[in-house]
Amino acid sequence: MHQSDSIVIIPTYNEKENIEKIIRAVFALDKVFHILVIDDGSPDGTAAIVKVLIANEFSDRLFILERKGKLGLGTAYITGFKWALERDYEYIFEMDADFSHDPHDLPRLYAACHDEGNDVAIGSRYVTGVNVVNWPIGRVLMSYFASKYVRIVTGFLVHDTTAGFVCYKRRVLKTIELDKIRFKGYGFQIEMKYTAYKIGFKIKEVSVIFVNRCEGTSKMSGGIFGEAFFGVMRLRWDGWMRKYPKIKTE
């Protein structure tokens, strides 16, 4: 039995080229992590690959939740967060399936929370410059200036607010009112981090190198980016007017 205090949530839609590779890469680490795949009805058979791995090799540390249709990145993570909170995981991670996030950085995010006492650890592309490989320049600029925009509008001093490589301590997700998180794409990532900051949790950015996917198709769209752009103004308004919950403990 591979016990772990940590669960890595990986949302998937048509990731058959990557999913087995990323699962094996995480399980090859010295630190033991469990994995929860949230699959949004991938027609390419992604979920079937995961279920074979569960049945044949990893029944005690690999799990899957299947949803019908593309319901959004944010709702996938909220579903995964709730699943993890129903169990005994103390450290709950977000990570992409496509190797844009290096599995070898998972222990670094874990250490930032477990060893250094932070509540949230962000795998940051921008805390030490621009650490992005093989992205089209337009997408680099869009992502970089989106984070700059968030900092200017909200005063939230995190360099990579749209990052999707994150470790949350259990108490963060227990305190955030998950059903009140509104956004689904880039906006979801910003809203989660900003809410944790407004509640008073300690956040650290851990410098990582982000590598554009080699296989499969990107799920980024202009609509997702637009949600973040206009949603930031609403977050700023919330920051003035909303009463945030107090930190909860077990």
Side-chain angles (χ1 to χ4, degrees), residues 4-222:
S4 181
D5 61 355
S6 303
I7 185 85
V8 181
I9 300 172
I10 303 179
T12 57
Y13 184 78
N14 286 349
E15 292 289 355
K16 68 177 183 180
E17 298 92 350
N18 295 304
I19 191 61
E20 180 171 352
K21 296 174 187 175
I22 197 74
I23 289 168
R24 292 191 182 279
V26 172
F27 288 159
L29 297 170
D30 290 337
K31 156 71 180 161
V32 176
F33 293 92
H34 289 182
I35 295 175
L36 172 64
V37 174
I38 312 285
D39 187 72
D40 271 8
S42 297
D44 72 345
T46 298
I49 294 170
V50 177
K51 287 188 282 190
V52 168
L53 291 172
I54 292 171
N56 293 342
E57 297 183 62
F58 305 121
S59 62
D60 60 342
R61 50 180 166 156
L62 176 60
F63 311 95
I64 186 169
L65 295 177
E66 295 180 79
R67 308 197 304 168
K68 295 181 179 180
K70 295 180 71 174
L71 302 177
L73 180 71
T75 63
Y77 275 126
I78 295 296
T79 297
F81 293 160
K82 291 179 177 180
W83 186 95
L85 290 175
E86 290 171 355
R87 291 153 181 86
D88 294 328
Y89 298 105
E90 291 296 331
Y91 303 91
I92 300 162
F93 293 76
E94 299 178 1
M95 191 174 78
D96 290 348
D98 60 6
F99 285 94
S100 56
H101 304 142
D102 186 345
H104 290 94
D105 288 324
L106 285 169
R108 298 175 61 225
L109 297 184
Y110 176 80
C113 289
H114 180 269
D115 301 337
E116 300 173 24
N118 297 289
D119 298 301
V120 181
I122 300 168
S124 177
R125 298 162 290 187
Y126 307 129
V127 70
T128 59
V130 179
N131 295 326
V132 177
V133 177
N134 292 336
W135 248 12
I137 187 63
R139 189 169 173 188
V140 173
L141 293 174
M142 181 176 71
S143 174
Y144 179 76
F145 284 108
S147 286
K148 286 285 188 183
Y149 169 70
V150 174
R151 285 165 61 91
I152 292 168
V153 173
T154 66
F156 179 30
L157 300 181
V158 163
H159 293 83
D160 195 354
T161 53
T162 62
F165 195 21
V166 186
C167 174
Y168 291 101
K169 276 187 176 175
R170 178 184 185 88
R171 69 177 192 148
V172 177
L173 299 181
K174 282 178 65 69
T175 302
I176 290 176
E177 297 167 302
L178 295 175
D179 289 332
K180 292 185 178 180
I181 298 295
R182 295 182 296 264
F183 302 124
K184 293 183 179 180
Y186 259 151
F188 167 80
Q189 300 293 2
I190 299 167
E191 186 175 6
M192 284 292 297
K193 297 176 186 70
Y194 183 70
T195 303
Y197 157 74
K198 290 298 291 184
I199 290 171
F201 287 112
K202 187 177 179 183
I203 300 172
K204 178 176 181 178
E205 291 187 86
V206 176
S207 181
V208 301
I209 296 175
F210 182 97
V211 181
N212 193 31
R213 67 165 60 236
C214 295
E215 297 183 274
T217 304
S218 173
K219 313 306 185 293
M220 182 57 60
S221 71

